[in-house]
Amino acid sequence: MSINVLLVDDEAVDLEWLRRRVLASSLDIAVVGIANSGFNALKIMEQLKVDIILSDIRMPIMSGTDFARRAKLIHPKIKIVFISGHEDFSYAKEAIQINASGYLLKPVKDKDLYEMLGSLCTAIEQEREQNRSLSEALSLVNKELILRWFDETSPEPAEPHLRSALIPLLLKGAAAAVVEIDDLEWKMRDLSEEDARVKTRQMAGLIKSIVENAKMGTLIAASHHRFVILCNLPQDSFLNLLEELIRKVAESSLCTVTVGVGQYAQEEAGLHESYQQAQAALSAKWLLGKNRLIRDSMEPSPRETPGVRIEQTVEQLLEAIIQYDLVAIDDHLLELFTSASKKDVYELIIRITSKLHADLQQQNENLYELLQWESHQPDILFQFETIHDILSWMRRRFFELSELLYVKRQRQKRRLIDEIINYVEENLEKKITLKEVAAHFSFTPNYLGYLFKEDYGLPFNEYVKERKTSRVFELLSDPTLMIYEIAERMGYKNLIYFNRQFKQITGMTPGEYRKKHKV
């Protein structure tokens, strides 16, 4: 397999000279690209596999050293050789800082160029052989043994055959990362068993191809939804590649992945600890969220909330649901759940739903019928992988419940107000008091008065006075009725009082009203 070289120089003549000299070597080398700027060179690197870069160190806009830093982020193990004149030798210090593989002075002699390329080709072949040895060493059996060793709480020193598989990894230091497919169970719940298997295999294949194409390290399948990556690339490069893995999976599939990563180690016990750290970091997904890289294995300590305080908050939450106060519902849910552990969350949900169901039963309501839950504890709650998912689900369902109760109360109140209005209409010609109507509908006068005014916008007594006046207008329009007859019919025993009341409301006596309307 030939070694691929990329040539970079802003001077076309120098670039062509370099291309011819490289191709004239007897080495197994292919010039896969030439570029007149660092930007164009980076584009080539994103599309092609490059082993060696020969680059002018002084270029406009993006210098050779700036380009090299970016190139190292794309391919950390790439070999970079700078070419410059004597006057640019001050750049040598920068070249050393970014671990350049060599430095050639213009005019470059063929002998110096070929010696440099020869040594780099030898180093690359050795690395390839080392990688092949590592790949062969980590057979399926060894991968399984490594997983078992990782899962031991207090591991014994690795067996000799296992140690031989780990040595190539640990030569330059290595770290473990654990990749978990997010929400796989509930996203596949509506698929047939066979379709779910196919989708899961596709996800595993996608992750494998991304890891292999990026030469990220050794991938070990720990389960159908969890994978371990063992990597000996520099730490910054590994973290960048893991971020890229997360992004590519999200762009290419319906699922996302969350990755926990441990610290770098150069000996067996340290690598085992790195795996444990990666596992601990991944477990923090519960609080920190998914579709992300998690390095900090320290899960925030749950707040110490006294039992009494929890009870008070639950009471306030239930009151907010009853009162249709969505802001308060959200506030109390956040207070209860934001920093709760998984065990605490499920206990809280059971406590809240049980209490809410009991409270609603006293109002002749059924929580599970209102929300159409098939059972008293929906299975979906146990499939969520983060506290944010559960909070979102609880918020949505409690908002829905609160609105259902509110709409139901409004309908009941509207029906009650309609019945009160019908009662008043049927008894307009009698004496009607709030106390009497409240007793008829089995409410206290104060509560019924409050409900009526809130819904109708007018105090009950004023409404009755208004309706009685309207009825008097109707009766006065009938010329066959005498005014004293109308007064008696409307419950007035004193004609003078009737006249005074009518004038107070209309500004005229009943007789003047008839005269005005020509009755």
Side-chain angles (χ1 to χ4, degrees), residues 22 44 65 67 72 99-100 105 128-129 138 149 220 246 287 306 324 354 356 363 392 403 412 465 480 492:
V22 171
I44 292 172
T65 52
F67 157 65
K72 286 277 189 179
N99 295 320
L105 292 175
R128 288 179 177 177
E129 184 59 35
L138 289 178
W149 181 68
I220 306 174
I246 292 167
L287 288 177
Y324 193 41
S354 299
L356 182 56
Q363 301 179 31
S392 177
E403 185 170 2
Q412 290 172 343
K465 187 185 294 184
T480 63
Y492 292 93

Side-chain angles (χ1 to χ4, degrees), residues 194-434:
E194 179 58 30
D195 287 343
R197 275 199 298 268
V198 170
K199 292 289 184 185
T200 303
R201 282 198 297 268
Q202 289 174 346
M203 281 295 301
L206 174 63
I207 293 169
K208 181 181 179 182
S209 67
I210 294 172
V211 171
E212 289 180 350
N213 290 339
K215 294 182 170 50
M216 202 179 300
T218 300
L219 184 73
I220 306 174
S223 67
H224 69 287
H225 73 294
R226 187 173 280 204
F227 307 85
V228 178
I229 300 175
L230 302 178
C231 178
N232 61 356
L233 294 175
Q235 182 172 3
D236 289 345
S237 300
F238 186 34
L239 295 177
N240 287 334
L241 289 172
L242 289 174
E243 293 279 12
E244 187 71 3
L245 167 69
I246 292 167
R247 184 184 66 78
K248 286 183 176 178
V249 170
E251 290 176 352
S252 307
S253 72
L254 294 175
C255 292
T256 59
V257 294
T258 301
V259 181
V261 62
Q263 299 296 317
Y264 269 68
Q266 290 187 305
E267 37 80 34
E268 295 171 20
L271 186 60
H272 184 278
E273 177 64 20
S274 179
Y275 173 78
Q276 297 295 329
Q277 290 168 350
Q279 290 272 59
L282 187 60
S283 69
K285 177 172 81 167
W286 169 251
L287 288 177
L288 300 179
K290 57 198 169 190
N291 190 29
R292 58 173 294 170
L293 177 67
I294 305 175
R295 296 176 60 190
D296 186 4
S297 62
M298 297 304 293
E299 187 171 333
S301 300
R303 245 178 347 197
E304 290 297 327
T305 308
V308 174
R309 181 59 186 153
I310 290 180
E311 290 298 332
Q312 290 174 349
T313 306
V314 170
E315 289 287 351
Q316 291 166 351
L317 170 63
L318 301 184
E319 182 63 23
I321 292 171
I322 299 296
Q323 295 300 323
Y324 193 41
D325 187 342
L326 303 186
V327 173
I329 292 172
D330 192 40
D331 289 344
H332 297 317
L333 281 173
L334 288 171
E335 186 177 351
L336 285 167
F337 289 109
T338 297
S339 59
S341 67
K342 275 190 176 182
K343 178 176 178 292
D344 291 339
V345 161
Y346 294 126
E347 288 180 354
L348 270 173
I349 290 170
I350 292 169
R351 183 187 302 183
I352 291 169
T353 52
S354 299
K355 181 75 168 64
L356 182 56
H357 183 54
D359 287 359
L360 288 175
Q361 280 187 318
Q362 294 180 5
Q363 301 179 31
N364 296 319
E365 299 287 1
N366 187 300
L367 170 67
Y368 308 108
E369 289 179 2
L370 284 168
L371 291 181
Q372 297 179 342
W373 286 357
E374 292 182 1
S375 64
H376 285 196
Q377 186 58 52
D379 292 339
I380 193 171
L381 284 172
F382 296 94
Q383 295 174 7
F384 289 136
E385 296 178 351
T386 71
I387 187 63
H388 307 289
D389 291 338
I390 285 187
L391 257 176
S392 177
W393 190 89
M394 294 289 289
R395 183 185 294 114
R396 188 167 61 252
R397 299 318 301 272
F398 283 169
F399 281 5
E400 178 188 356
L401 173 62
S402 186
E403 185 170 2
L404 283 171
L405 291 171
Y406 173 76
V407 169
K408 204 166 184 179
R409 283 199 307 274
Q410 291 302 104
R411 287 176 183 160
Q412 290 172 343
K413 186 164 65 175
R414 183 68 255 171
R415 189 159 53 245
L416 173 62
I417 298 303
D418 288 343
E419 290 176 0
I420 292 172
I421 289 173
N422 289 336
Y423 181 85
V424 170
E425 290 297 319
E426 292 170 0
N427 293 277
L428 269 179
E429 297 179 7
K430 300 177 184 177
K431 185 179 179 181
I432 302 173
T433 65
L434 177 60

Side-chain angles (χ1 to χ4, degrees), residues 22 28 36 66 83 147 175 218 375 412 453 468 478:
V22 171
D28 186 11
N36 60 3
D66 288 337
I83 302 173
L147 281 180
T218 300
S375 64
Q412 290 172 343
K453 184 176 180 181
K468 277 182 171 288
D478 183 355

Side-chain angles (χ1 to χ4, degrees), residues 110-237:
D110 287 354
K111 177 175 177 292
D112 295 337
L113 175 63
Y114 296 150
E115 283 182 358
M116 177 68 71
L117 289 174
S119 65
L120 292 179
C121 289
T122 299
I124 291 170
E125 286 296 344
Q126 288 175 348
E127 288 177 4
R128 288 179 177 177
E129 184 59 35
Q130 185 182 47
N131 290 336
R132 280 193 291 270
S133 299
L134 174 60
S135 177
E136 292 167 2
L138 289 178
S139 63
L140 289 176
V141 173
N142 280 335
K143 287 179 179 180
E144 179 63 28
L145 291 175
I146 287 174
L147 281 180
R148 291 184 185 180
W149 181 68
F150 275 157
D151 286 332
E152 293 176 9
T153 307
S154 302
E156 295 293 327
E159 296 292 332
H161 64 280
L162 189 57
R163 188 178 299 118
S164 65
L166 295 174
I167 285 174
L169 265 176
L170 295 167
L171 286 175
K172 296 181 180 179
V178 182
V179 181
E180 183 173 79
I181 303 174
D182 299 323
D183 306 320
L184 189 63
E185 296 297 331
W186 71 268
K187 283 190 176 180
M188 302 292 179
R189 69 185 185 278
D190 295 329
L191 299 178
S192 68
E193 190 174 331
E194 179 58 30
D195 287 343
R197 275 199 298 268
V198 170
K199 292 289 184 185
T200 303
R201 282 198 297 268
Q202 289 174 346
M203 281 295 301
L206 174 63
I207 293 169
K208 181 181 179 182
S209 67
I210 294 172
V211 171
E212 289 180 350
N213 290 339
K215 294 182 170 50
M216 202 179 300
T218 300
L219 184 73
I220 306 174
S223 67
H224 69 287
H225 73 294
R226 187 173 280 204
F227 307 85
V228 178
I229 300 175
L230 302 178
C231 178
N232 61 356
L233 294 175
Q235 182 172 3
D236 289 345
S237 300

Side-chain angles (χ1 to χ4, degrees), residues 19-83:
R19 185 184 72 83
R20 293 186 181 189
R21 297 282 69 76
V22 171
L23 290 177
S25 75
S26 59
L27 300 167
D28 186 11
I29 286 178
V31 176
V32 294
I34 58 173
N36 60 3
S37 72
F39 293 107
N40 291 334
L42 290 172
K43 289 180 182 177
I44 292 172
M45 288 185 64
E46 289 174 355
Q47 299 171 358
L48 300 172
K49 180 182 179 299
V50 177
D51 299 301
I52 299 173
I53 296 174
L54 298 180
S55 173
D56 186 16
I57 203 164
R58 175 183 285 187
M59 293 187 291
I61 304 177
M62 183 188 293
S63 70
T65 52
D66 288 337
F67 157 65
R69 286 191 180 90
R70 298 193 186 188
K72 286 277 189 179
L73 289 176
I74 297 174
H75 295 307
K77 292 187 176 182
I78 202 162
K79 311 297 182 187
I80 300 176
V81 176
F82 288 116
I83 302 173

